[in-house]
Amino acid sequence: MSLSGNAAFRRLFNEIGTVDQVGIEERVAKYGTRSIKKAAKVQGLKLAASMVDLTTLEGKDTPGKVASLCQKALNPHEGLDCPPVAAVCVYPSMVKHARRALGEDSGVRIASVATAFPSGQAPLTTRLAEVKAAIADGADEIDMVINRGAFLAGEFREVQDEIAAVVEACGDATLKVILEVSELETYDNIRAASFLAMRAIRPGDFIKTSTGKTSLNATLGNNQVMIEAIRDHYLDTGIAIAMKPAGGIRTAKQALTFLIAVKETLGDAWLNNTRYRFGASSLLNDLLRQLEKEKTGAYQAPYYFSEAAESY
């Protein structure tokens, strides 16, 4: 990193503060000790299901696969009292097929990854054109990736200007800004990137941990760093930013622990799918499995539930 880059980081850390890594790890370890039973557990499982962005992001995606994904989004499991998921998340070329399958008034939103997902390594004009094309085809939400190279070089204005350009291209569509936490490497950098993104986006837009395409995705630790940044930003500005951990959350137990973190850090106002989402597909089936267990007293085999898509 250049001297100017180091100076940029020092200035930002002096402004927003740094992260107590030991404190973060101790706090998230305590979330796992909370016990949720019976009616509260069922409520938590249904809440988590309503927060899922059901995702397929494969090179072999087809219109038929996306249509099946949309049907599962609308009705996760026949005969089980489970709400629809929050959204389906697909590549831009699949948006029109998702819109055809969902119709206009289903309540399930269509999210599309854009801006040269997952690398972000394309000219800005190309990335903006991809955003506009996805929205024209019916996307309600855009999941963009930040320019990690610019961030790590300390070129913060470039990062924010690019996010602002995507905000403008989104129009009324919700924006989720993916930090790709595994490439930011430290909690301090995750906090810094969170603040840079939040200062460039609108109330109700999201910051998001990961693309799901790297070796390390959402963890309780990096989720905690980001929701604490959201809390601090809200206390400073009154602007409520939403959060989406993505990748690596595969079990109902994990999801409930993430929701405990949200409740104890941000409060009940964030316990809904307009302010908190899970980027996942395999998670939904485990939530359904646990709901079936609470209903019948017996676990069903995993194959009892239809597949969603990939293990994102």
Side-chain angles (χ1 to χ4, degrees), residues 36 40-54 72 76-77 80-86 249-259 276-296 298-302 304-306 308:
I36 305 176
K41 183 176 181 181
V42 171
Q43 182 182 7
L45 293 169
K46 291 181 179 180
L47 177 61
S50 76
M51 293 174 165
V52 168
D53 281 5
L54 200 57
K72 188 173 181 73
H77 189 66
L80 192 60
D81 181 21
C82 181
V85 304
I249 305 172
R250 295 185 172 88
T251 69
K253 183 177 181 179
Q254 285 177 295
L256 291 176
T257 306
F258 274 75
L259 293 184
Y276 200 78
R277 299 276 185 86
F278 293 106
S281 281
S282 56
L283 169 63
L284 180 60
N285 271 0
D286 198 57
L287 293 168
L288 297 173
R289 192 166 180 245
Q290 297 301 323
L291 283 169
E292 187 75 22
K293 164 65 165 54
E294 293 300 316
K295 177 182 177 182
T296 66
Y299 279 112
Q300 299 293 335
Y304 179 71
F305 304 96
S306 63

